[in-house]
Amino acid sequence: QYIIQLGFHCDAFELSTAPRSVDRGREYADGEGDGPEMWMDGWTIFYWGWWISWSPFVGMFIAKISRGRTIRQFINGTLTAPMIYTFLWLTIFGGGAIRTERRAAEQGLCCPSWDANFLLYTDAQLSDVTLTGATLTQDSFLICGADKCGDCEWGLIESYMTANPGVESMGDIVNYITSTSRWLGMYKSADDRSHARLSCMASEEMWFALVSTYGDMGPLLCIISLIGIILYFVTSSDSGSLVIDIMSANGDQEPPIAQRIFWALVEGATATALLVAGGKDSLNALQAASVAAGLPYTIIMCFICISTWRALAMECGDLNPYGPDFAVALVDPFSMLSPKLWCLFLKNLFLAPVTLYGVLKKHKLGGAAVAIMAGVAMIGWVALIICEIIYLCYPDSVKLDGIYAVAWVFYLALVAIITATRIQIRNFYGIHGNPIEDFFAVLLVYPCVMIQLETVSKEGGIAPLMPDNREGNGDVIINQSKQMEDTMA
């Protein structure tokens, strides 16, 4: 029953304006709309940013240590085993934490919030504060600070005063709070540490409070946990230093040990400097930057997945690596110093429908109608994007809220038209591929796709990669770059 509501909790558009609008989801009692930022920050797709930002480092390290392994061994070691281990870990210790939390709640343990400055007062300062008259009211009990005590704090104070009827001054309560193990830190736990309200604690305290509930094994488990954390950071730093060292050594798989130690020290010094200069906030800013840096790798990883699948298909013989292909690769306009390619890129960036008309007409796949639809989609996309820019620059004079969404609908229409054309051209020439690859190629770099379609329409635009068997070495004898230049000439 919460599936629809969960969708609103993850609604990024709802958080795009301040204050949050209340007409896009369920309204809270305080008047704010649904979809809190805290939920979105911890939502799965944001957590993926961590994994993706680590992908260059982790990928290179796993590739190095997995050399010589089979694909089955690689998948079992990097996916299956960690997944099973994580499942067992979260099931066992997560279930234990829930049990501890529920037992603590049943015992009446709660999360008190005291005035830290008041707890530091000396007995002399507290001697004048007697527990009579107005100080016994929940609204004016100074130990909770400027605000009145909550039900948790007031209930604990009343319980203590009931159990100790001889208490006459605030100093007795303060001394009890600061000297008894049950008030350890800012949360309340049982005297024997058998259960505790984990929800009252900071994230770095929860694990140690949980293992402390395991009786006499608690201290030993805390020591083992500290050793495990140290080993985790040491091995992670060592692996990271190795990858950075390999990259700085121009790909040398056995870089100098001294250089590796240098990078390890630099990593530690950087983290220390951030902590000293800005504390935890500076690390949070660095973490947010690393997640944002993972966004480009999201696109790169999609192409890596396709490349891996194609390499495996070639290895198994399901894909002919010497079959026909486009003479111009998608990345050639960015990787080759070719003024002709750059000119074609700029031309198709703005005049893709014109090129599309020529391609369709040459191959007798339609022509004017499809090109006109592509032109309308492109003009609508560009025009509405311009309107959105004007709206952002002059929000008070122009009312075009949400026009960017319509603009991207026009863009997707253009992408769909070019994708359908690329599929037809591939089938016409027998070029290997699939519609999903075509769609994402057009979505990301449609000018490069139009260059492929434009050059394939000319004589010699297809590159049949044939091996040279005259010497039995299987080398490719066709120079695609040279053929491409001849095609465009």
Side-chain angles (χ1 to χ4, degrees):
Q1 61 177 340
Y2 296 109
I3 293 179
I4 298 178
Q5 179 182 338
L6 189 63
F8 287 101
H9 273 295
C10 312
D11 189 359
F13 292 102
E14 187 168 345
L15 304 179
S16 62
T17 57
R20 292 173 290 173
S21 44
V22 297
D23 57 347
R24 298 183 181 180
R26 180 174 58 84
E27 183 178 353
Y28 286 135
D30 60 3
E32 292 188 348
D34 207 353
E37 290 89 343
M38 290 296 293
W39 174 269
M40 287 195 62
D41 290 343
W43 189 234
T44 309
I45 194 169
F46 289 89
Y47 198 65
W48 288 346
W50 281 107
W51 308 341
I52 295 173
S53 62
W54 274 59
S55 60
F57 148 64
V58 176
M60 292 182 64
F61 179 75
I62 293 180
K64 179 177 176 60
I65 65 176
S66 300
R67 185 179 181 86
R69 306 282 185 180
T70 64
I71 295 177
R72 175 180 298 178
Q73 292 173 333
F74 177 82
I75 292 177
N76 288 336
T78 59
L79 294 178
T80 307
M83 181 184 64
I84 295 175
Y85 178 81
T86 303
F87 175 80
L88 294 175
W89 176 277
L90 294 179
T91 301
I92 296 172
F93 292 106
I98 294 174
R99 182 190 63 177
T100 299
E101 178 76 8
R102 295 184 64 180
R103 285 184 175 179
E106 292 173 356
Q107 295 295 323
L109 304 182
C110 58
C111 308
S113 178
W114 310 109
D115 185 353
N117 294 326
F118 195 84
L119 295 180
L120 297 177
Y121 286 174
T122 63
D123 291 340
Q125 293 173 304
L126 296 171
S127 61
D128 296 334
V129 183
T130 59
L131 300 180
T132 59
T135 57
L136 285 177
T137 64
Q138 185 172 350
D139 293 342
S140 59
F141 215 64
L142 300 178
I143 198 172
C144 298
D147 299 329
K148 69 177 183 178
C149 291
D151 294 336
C152 175
E153 296 86 357
W154 187 246
L156 295 173
I157 293 172
E158 284 187 324
S159 299
Y160 173 70
M161 294 175 63
T162 302
N164 301 271
V167 176
E168 297 181 353
S169 69
M170 184 73 72
D172 296 331
I173 295 180
V174 172
N175 291 333
Y176 175 72
I177 292 174
T178 56
S179 62
T180 307
S181 62
R182 68 168 62 221
W183 304 93
L184 183 64
M186 294 301 293
Y187 59 89
K188 191 171 187 299
S189 60
D191 289 335
D192 58 358
R193 308 299 297 275
S194 59
H195 46 274
R197 290 300 295 266
L198 301 178
S199 58
C200 303
M201 310 175 193
S203 57
E204 59 269 16
E205 298 173 334
M206 293 181 181
W207 169 253
F208 294 99
L210 174 62
V211 296
S212 296
T213 63
Y214 292 106
D216 296 335
M217 290 291 294
L220 177 61
L221 292 176
C222 288
I223 295 174
I224 295 176
S225 299
L226 286 173
I227 295 175
I229 292 173
I230 292 173
L231 291 176
Y232 163 74
F233 279 104
V234 170
T235 54
S236 297
S237 177
D238 181 66
S239 303
S241 303
L242 175 62
V243 172
I244 296 176
D245 197 10
I246 292 175
M247 296 174 64
S248 61
N250 200 25
D252 185 3
Q253 296 299 312
E254 299 296 336
I257 300 297
Q259 185 172 299
R260 185 169 170 183
I261 296 175
F262 165 78
W263 284 114
L265 294 175
V266 169
E267 293 170 8
T270 302
T272 303
L274 288 172
L275 285 174
V276 172
K280 188 177 180 179
D281 293 339
S282 61
L283 285 182
N284 291 337
L286 182 62
Q287 291 168 353
S290 65
V291 173
L295 179 61
Y297 289 101
T298 305
I299 301 173
I300 296 174
M301 286 176 62
C302 294
F303 288 104
I304 292 176
C305 291
I306 295 175
S307 301
T308 303
W309 172 77
R310 285 198 171 189
L312 296 177
M314 293 177 184
E315 184 73 17
C316 296
D318 296 334
L319 177 63
N320 180 15
Y322 306 116
D325 198 358
F326 289 107
V328 180
L330 285 175
V331 297
D332 281 350
F334 309 109
S335 61
M336 299 181 61
L337 299 177
S338 173
K340 292 183 178 179
L341 279 180
W342 297 343
C343 292
L344 288 176
F345 182 88
L346 293 176
K347 167 194 170 184
N348 289 289
L349 182 63
F350 301 102
L351 301 176
V354 177
T355 302
L356 189 67
Y357 173 75
V359 173
L360 294 172
K361 183 178 180 181
K362 179 176 179 62
H363 295 86
K364 299 179 181 179
L365 298 175
V370 178
I372 291 174
M373 289 190 294
V376 171
M378 189 167 193
I379 293 174
W381 170 51
V382 174
L384 293 178
I385 287 294
I386 294 175
C387 291
E388 177 65 18
I389 295 174
I390 296 175
Y391 169 69
L392 294 176
C393 297
Y394 306 99
D396 297 331
S397 59
V398 183
K399 301 297 182 182
L400 296 173
D401 188 15
I403 197 67
Y404 64 91
V406 183
W408 290 112
V409 170
F410 276 101
Y411 180 72
L412 290 177
L414 175 65
V415 169
I417 295 172
I418 300 178
T419 299
T421 304
R422 192 175 196 263
I423 294 173
Q424 292 176 307
I425 295 298
R426 280 196 305 97
N427 294 334
F428 185 87
Y429 289 101
I431 300 174
H432 182 78
N434 60 72
I436 297 178
E437 295 179 16
D438 296 328
F439 173 78
F440 282 103
V442 177
L443 182 68
L444 298 175
V445 284
Y446 77 88
C448 298
V449 173
M450 294 310 304
I451 293 176
Q452 289 183 328
L453 300 181
E454 183 176 10
T455 54
V456 81
S457 302
K458 300 179 181 179
E459 184 178 358
I462 295 296
L465 305 179
M466 300 299 295
D468 183 4
N469 295 322
R470 289 173 297 181
E471 298 180 0
N473 55 8
D475 293 334
V476 176
I477 62 173
I478 292 185
N479 187 321
Q480 292 190 67
S481 301
K482 180 63 170 62
Q483 183 181 2
M484 179 197 63
E485 295 288 349
D486 295 341
T487 299
M488 296 185 298

